[in-house]
Amino acid sequence: DQQVKQNSPSLSVQEGRISILNCDYTNSMFDYFLWYKKYPAEGPTFLISISSIKDKNEDGRFTVFLNKSAKHLSLHIVPSQPGDSAVYFCAARRSGNEKLTFGTGTRLTIIP
Amino acid sequence: EAQVTQNPRYLITVTGKKLTVTCSQNMNHEYMSWYRQDPGLGLRQIYYSMNVEVTDKGDVPEGYKVSRKEKRNFPLILESPSPNQTSLYFCASSKGLAYGYTFGSGTRLTVV
């Protein structure tokens, strides 16, 4: 049972435009969400997170939006740069539990 | 440099031959975890450890063992590897989920 879903396996975006990566979850107990970025031959690296008490968190070019009623979150990257080409994983956890449940990932390609 | 170190990076072995993948972190993190990454399935948790001598099963623990005799090390043991354990393995540590996990660079295991 995939509790965290990323329905788009891949996404291509022109350099300078906005990249929007989507993630849906089914477990209403999840209350903390994270995005990770992964380059080939490297481990995932933490990008940005959001608590369920917020609906938006911003860090430079990266913004995460959370819609609790829809059980949906999205990562916006503006403007997109070639170095953003990577696989992006969303992850979720619930209070009192250190375990992260990951989605299947979306491969983002930025076209110069 | 703060990091999680996994060894080996690449390993090809035969069915049934016991192997150990080592993981070490230098950040004094209490929480450590093992994940495997498979195409279309994302990152799935194998085992985790909340502290020394405290370990528990994740989502896919069958065929694996772990130990946590000291804070910095969390080895993954495959007593009798099988071809379905061919995968990319990641070790991670955390000082608290608000900070995200720090991942190792991965171990690509092939069991023939």
Side-chain angles (χ1 to χ4, degrees):
Chain A
D1 175 33
Q2 194 74 33
Q3 296 187 65
V4 179
K5 301 177 185 179
Q6 294 176 256
N7 292 318
S8 298
S10 63
L11 175 67
S12 294
V13 174
Q14 206 78 34
E15 181 179 357
R17 306 292 291 268
I18 183 171
S19 295
I20 300 176
L21 295 97
N22 293 304
C23 179
D24 297 294
Y25 61 96
T26 58
N27 189 338
S28 58
M29 299 296 288
F30 288 145
D31 58 5
Y32 199 80
F33 305 89
L34 306 92
W35 284 94
Y36 283 81
K37 176 180 180 179
K38 184 183 178 304
Y39 292 120
E42 295 182 14
T45 54
F46 171 66
L47 195 55
I48 192 170
S49 63
I50 187 167
S51 163
S52 61
I53 63 173
K54 295 184 174 182
D55 53 19
K56 177 183 174 181
N57 189 26
E58 202 168 346
D59 183 3
R61 296 185 298 113
F62 302 92
T63 303
V64 56
F65 295 92
L66 176 62
N67 182 334
K68 288 189 290 293
S69 60
K71 295 193 181 69
H72 176 84
L73 63 154
S74 60
L75 174 68
H76 292 211
I77 306 173
V78 183
S80 300
Q81 299 174 352
D84 296 330
S85 294
V87 176
Y88 290 79
F89 291 97
C90 69
R93 62 164 279 224
R94 62 183 200 182
S95 294
N97 192 327
E98 297 280 344
K99 176 185 173 181
L100 279 182
T101 300
F102 283 84
T104 52
T106 296
R107 181 179 301 279
L108 175 65
T109 302
I110 305 302
I111 305 163
Chain B
E1 181 188 352
Q3 59 186 0
V4 176
T5 304
Q6 293 178 231
N7 279 298
R9 289 293 307 273
Y10 301 92
L11 179 59
I12 301 175
T13 191
V14 296
T15 299
K17 185 176 181 182
K18 180 179 179 179
L19 66 92
T20 299
V21 183
T22 63
C23 174
S24 179
Q25 50 97 0
N26 62 0
M27 297 165 281
N28 202 36
H29 288 170
E30 292 185 349
Y31 183 83
M32 297 186 74
S33 182
W34 276 101
Y35 281 82
R36 60 178 286 176
Q37 183 188 357
D38 301 289
L41 297 175
L43 289 154
R44 295 179 294 167
Q45 190 181 54
I46 303 170
Y47 268 95
Y48 65 95
S49 169
M50 300 292 287
N51 212 327
V52 176
E53 301 293 0
V54 180
T55 63
D56 208 347
K57 297 177 181 178
D59 296 318
V60 287
E62 295 78 21
Y64 304 95
K65 283 175 55 177
V66 293
S67 69
R68 189 90 181 273
K69 293 185 171 56
E70 49 190 343
K71 202 171 193 179
R72 62 182 292 124
N73 295 323
F74 190 45
L76 179 69
I77 302 155
L78 285 73
E79 294 270 3
S80 183
S82 62
N84 65 10
Q85 292 178 297
T86 292
S87 186
L88 179 57
Y89 291 87
F90 290 101
C91 180
S93 73
S94 171
K95 69 174 178 178
L97 259 295
Y99 303 93
Y101 287 177
T102 300
F103 280 87
S105 298
T107 296
R108 185 166 291 283
L109 172 66
T110 302
V111 183
V112 297

